[in-house]
Amino acid sequence: MAASRTLRIGLIPGDGIGREVIPAGRRILEALPPSLGLKFSFVDLDAGFDCFKKTGVALPDKTLETLKKECDGALFGAVSSPSTPTKGYSSPIVALRKKLDLYANVRPVKSVAPTPAFPDPIDLVIVRENTEDLYVKEEKTYDAPDGQGKIAEAIKRISQRASSRIATIAGDIAVRRQRVRAGLEGAAKEKEALVTITHKSNVLSQTDGLFRSTAREALQAPQFSNVRVEEQIVDSMVYKMFRQPEAYDVIVAPNLYGDLLSDGAAALVGSLGLVPSANVGDGFAIGEPCHGSAPDIEGMDIANPIATLRSVAVMLEFLGQEEAAAKIYKAVDANLMEAKLLSPDMGGKAKTSEIVEDIIKRL
């Protein structure tokens, strides 16, 4: 048996169905085989729109300080956002990304069975820069000087530093995925390590131009000698990703494009309820399912837990626990391959709790 190690994980359910899927994430960690030598302790933390309505703060200082000082990683459920401007409110997950310098949002998209539309396996990762671009949220509205109504402007900020490190982590992921493929029986060993840089530098020559050139330079480092690098303009990237998703491996993009591509890519595998993510920095990771808070189904025990369980595995990968992550991936994939217990978003009638129990048995 491996030497025992205890990881402290912060649990931030947030809003809506986050309060159902994050407990499922805790259960899957607690159910990992003892032979892995892993133990977990947990701390419950608050954040979200409901927290804001109760306290006037969406991300309490206590939550942030506990994550910084006590935790190895965290799980974040979902957050509701008001549809109209609400004074004093801003997204807690965006704040966490900035305050903890979680500069990469990593979103794997994987199919487990062929479909008529996509007979070839889909297995790609979208790596989204997490700290800048239009998401710096520097906006202003003013009256047009000619008296023709109002003008709204937003700053798009791209830096060399952020572009270099997001390209570097994309290259690292491509190298690791190739290593994993080489060791898997029956895997597509002929699939090369590939990073696709996505941008719109033909129009935005300064901002996206800097992202493009910096990413290319970062991916010329010696450790990426076996990684092929290509580029794709973002609008044609959308088209080709939906037409030929099997052709891609790792896609790296600035914040806005990465956000749109990763949510759209969920349609390739059937549901946002299947798609995980992790917000990753140097030595810290927060697993976060890609779906929203879904208040219309809150408390009904029909939320799809698989995005969260996969997010647990992605978090573990970036905490250096690849063997534990692999066991969760395998159990989840087996559940999906059998296709007997599917949540309503997948066309089934299974309860959240039933799916979680089945996956735990498969561990």
Side-chain angles (χ1 to χ4, degrees):
M1 181 183 293
S4 180
R5 182 186 175 193
T6 298
L7 295 175
R8 187 149 175 84
I9 305 298
L11 301 176
I12 313 171
D15 304 314
I17 60 171
R19 291 186 277 263
E20 298 171 58
V21 295
I22 292 304
R26 173 174 178 160
R27 290 195 63 203
I28 211 76
L29 285 171
E30 292 173 327
L32 283 167
S35 59
L36 292 171
L38 273 180
K39 294 181 180 179
F40 298 91
S41 66
F42 301 94
V43 55
D44 294 315
L45 301 170
D46 205 2
F49 190 51
D50 284 347
C51 177
F52 174 80
K53 289 188 288 186
K54 288 185 293 185
T55 68
V57 179
L59 178 62
D61 289 342
K62 180 181 177 181
T63 295
L64 184 61
E65 289 305 307
T66 301
L67 291 174
K68 285 181 175 179
K69 296 178 180 179
E70 297 183 20
C71 296
D72 298 288
L75 297 174
F76 190 100
V79 61
S80 297
S81 295
S83 56
T84 56
T86 300
K87 186 177 181 180
Y89 177 80
S90 61
S91 168
I93 191 64
V94 172
L96 280 171
R97 290 166 182 166
K98 291 182 178 179
K99 292 179 183 297
L100 297 175
D101 198 25
L102 305 176
Y103 57 85
N105 188 257
V106 180
R107 298 192 175 189
V109 178
K110 180 183 178 183
S111 63
V112 297
T115 66
F118 302 111
D120 295 318
I122 299 169
D123 186 7
L124 58 88
V125 178
I126 297 170
V127 183
R128 165 190 171 192
E129 203 288 317
N130 229 3
T131 65
E132 52 181 30
D133 198 6
L134 287 168
Y135 289 68
V136 297
K137 296 184 69 173
E138 294 182 19
E139 299 180 281
K140 62 180 180 180
T141 302
Y142 56 92
D143 293 323
D146 57 5
Q148 300 297 309
K150 294 187 178 296
I151 296 174
E153 293 180 353
I155 297 291
K156 175 183 173 76
R157 181 172 292 123
I158 300 290
S159 71
Q160 194 169 29
R161 174 177 180 264
S163 301
S164 179
R165 64 182 183 174
I166 198 66
T168 298
I169 200 170
D172 290 339
I173 291 169
V175 169
R176 184 172 72 232
R177 282 164 58 81
Q178 184 69 353
R179 185 173 70 243
V180 169
R181 282 194 291 263
L184 284 178
E185 183 179 351
K189 297 184 178 65
E190 72 278 2
K191 187 170 183 177
E192 62 184 336
L194 169 67
V195 175
T196 304
I197 303 168
T198 305
H199 57 84
K200 189 69 175 174
S201 64
N202 57 326
V203 174
L204 300 167
S205 59
Q206 296 294 310
T207 50
D208 282 25
L210 181 62
F211 181 85
R212 170 188 175 273
S213 61
T214 304
R216 271 211 166 270
E217 183 179 357
L219 289 165
Q220 290 173 1
Q223 67 265 36
F224 305 134
S225 59
N226 293 324
V227 177
R228 184 164 72 87
V229 179
E230 65 176 17
E231 297 177 27
Q232 195 71 58
I233 299 296
V234 66
D235 41 356
S236 62
M237 178 77 236
V238 173
Y239 176 80
K240 291 187 176 181
M241 186 178 71
F242 278 95
R243 295 283 293 181
Q244 299 173 301
E246 72 281 356
Y248 295 100
D249 185 22
V250 178
I251 299 166
V252 64
N255 207 334
L256 178 62
Y257 307 151
D259 192 3
L260 300 176
L261 287 171
S262 54
D263 279 3
L268 298 171
V269 293
S271 172
L272 268 174
L274 297 176
V275 182
S277 76
N279 299 285
V280 179
D282 295 329
F284 199 88
I286 298 179
E288 178 198 3
C290 288
H291 58 68
S293 60
D296 55 319
I297 62 169
E298 181 183 357
M300 298 171 65
D301 195 28
I302 59 172
N304 191 339
I306 285 179
T308 296
L309 303 187
R310 283 176 162 173
S311 296
V312 171
V314 182
M315 176 193 72
L316 288 172
E317 276 192 68
F318 285 96
L319 297 182
Q321 304 299 326
E322 291 185 23
E323 185 180 359
K327 288 189 178 298
I328 295 174
Y329 289 135
K330 185 176 180 180
V332 169
D333 289 354
N335 167 274
L336 290 171
M337 283 290 289
E338 194 171 273
K340 288 183 178 179
L341 288 171
L342 298 176
S343 51
D345 61 306
M346 298 294 294
K349 297 181 180 179
K351 300 291 188 181
T352 307
S353 51
E354 293 174 324
I355 297 169
V356 173
E357 289 297 336
D358 180 71
I359 292 171
I360 285 175
K361 289 177 183 176
R362 296 175 189 274
L363 282 174

